[in-house]
Amino acid sequence: MKKIAAVLTSQSGHWVGDGFPVRSLFSYDREAQDNSPFLLFDYAGPYNFPPAAAPRGVGQHPHRGFETVTIAYEGEVAHRDSTGGGGIIAPGDVQWMTAAGGIIHEEFHSPAYTKTGGPFRMVQLWVNLPARHKMAKAGYQGIASADIPVVELPGGTARVIAGAFGEAKGPARTFSPINLWDVRLTAGAEVTLDLPEGHTALLAVLSGHVTVDGTGAGEAEIIRFAREGSQARVRADGDSVLLVMTGEPLGEPVVGYGPFVMTSEAEIRQAIADFNSGRFGSA
Ligand code: MN
């Protein structure tokens, strides 16, 4: 069994643009090595937006050196980026954007959701890239809900977004070994999760409450496991929605400045210079 290393809670709430009321459950400016390869976890909502005339969100901005993974639970987001990638992600869908050498994108509520308003809940997870891939070509994977395999569990389900869960394989292509599972448990369910030995393993509670090895975690809390051991027994104390992330630690320096995460100050200065001279393109 894996031991629990820490329980992470939201340090602060803030708005990203006018469309995303987020709680950051972790960020690369603290414990970056403990969470590697994961850099940042923003939980947007739950929030209820009234109908509006103009889409709320965040306009064109850059990223370099990592990937952003957006998972929609409620509400809809429309995305457009400088690779020509784009589309609408609706509940159940996942957008896996590889910023790598540089991307410009915008993230707004979809036109349809803007009109109706309603409940809104999303996760944006930043996944670091190994140094040798940080300047790779930018890319975009739009992953539809229908393409994500669902594994039945005793008292729940696991949707396999990336990596594997038993025999089921997730559709996302990743640059380093990663598992990403959307796990739903009904109250009273108890499941054993196989979390690879040596991986960073994080269990985020988005709603509900779970107990693992005598430690409880509720909404907007993340259990971080020790790297040793390979299993965790999770009990759902109520109906719960969990996001389970595991990944091989990269073991490389993490030097970040806002939307750029590289391995040295010199690379950050280069990213700023490249962005200022228009070398990231436009969305
Ligand atoms: Mn962004």
Side-chain angles (χ1 to χ4, degrees):
M1 285 288 163
K2 276 187 180 291
K3 293 220 176 330
I4 292 174
V7 178
L8 315 179
T9 58
S10 169
Q11 296 303 301
S12 62
H14 63 278
W15 282 79
V16 176
D18 62 359
F20 304 93
V22 307
R23 287 175 278 183
S24 293
L25 304 193
F26 62 84
S27 173
Y28 60 78
D29 51 11
R30 296 184 311 124
E31 302 179 333
Q33 296 303 329
D34 291 332
N35 294 328
S36 174
F38 306 107
L39 291 169
L40 176 145
F41 189 106
D42 271 356
Y43 185 23
Y47 193 84
N48 210 59
F49 282 99
R56 301 178 177 95
V58 52
Q60 296 201 10
H61 60 278
H63 294 285
R64 174 180 278 183
F66 58 96
E67 303 185 282
T68 66
V69 180
T70 306
I71 303 165
Y73 292 88
E74 294 180 282
E76 280 186 357
V77 166
H79 157 97
R80 221 155 52 92
D81 71 46
S82 52
T83 72
I88 288 174
I89 48 169
D93 298 340
V94 175
Q95 174 204 88
W96 200 291
M97 189 188 80
T98 305
I103 205 164
I104 303 270
H105 76 153
E106 57 179 41
E107 301 158 280
F108 282 101
H109 295 179
S110 73
Y113 173 72
T114 299
K115 251 192 216 115
T116 60
F120 188 87
R121 208 151 56 91
M122 308 251 161
V123 164
Q124 189 167 87
L125 172 69
W126 291 12
V127 179
N128 205 1
L129 288 170
R132 69 183 182 285
H133 294 302
K134 277 184 177 288
M135 292 302 287
K137 198 164 162 286
Y140 177 82
Q141 303 174 64
I143 301 170
S145 183
D147 297 329
I148 300 174
V150 182
V151 178
E152 297 295 329
L153 303 174
T157 54
R159 297 198 318 139
V160 189
I161 299 165
F165 188 109
E167 299 298 306
K169 299 257 187 303
R173 296 181 306 277
T174 66
F175 285 79
S176 64
I178 281 167
N179 294 295
L180 186 60
W181 309 326
D182 169 11
V183 176
R184 318 281 173 112
L185 299 176
T186 55
E190 277 199 56
V191 297
T192 301
L193 300 176
D194 286 316
L195 306 171
E197 171 102 33
H199 273 210
T200 298
L202 306 169
L203 182 158
V205 181
L206 302 182
S207 63
H209 193 279
V210 298
T211 301
V212 182
D213 196 17
T215 297
E219 180 182 315
E221 294 187 320
I222 290 180
I223 292 175
R224 184 171 66 221
F225 293 95
R227 294 199 173 133
E228 302 73 34
S230 59
Q231 287 192 323
R233 185 99 179 131
V234 179
R235 190 184 76 222
D237 305 311
D239 289 355
S240 299
V241 177
L242 314 173
L243 188 63
V244 178
M245 301 148 267
T246 90
E248 202 170 273
L250 299 179
E252 294 173 338
V254 173
V255 180
Y257 179 74
F260 309 127
V261 183
M262 304 301 288
T263 60
S264 71
E265 296 289 346
E267 288 173 329
I268 293 295
R269 284 193 296 274
Q270 188 64 51
I272 294 166
D274 287 351
F275 171 64
N276 286 339
S277 59
R279 262 171 276 173
F280 280 50
S282 65

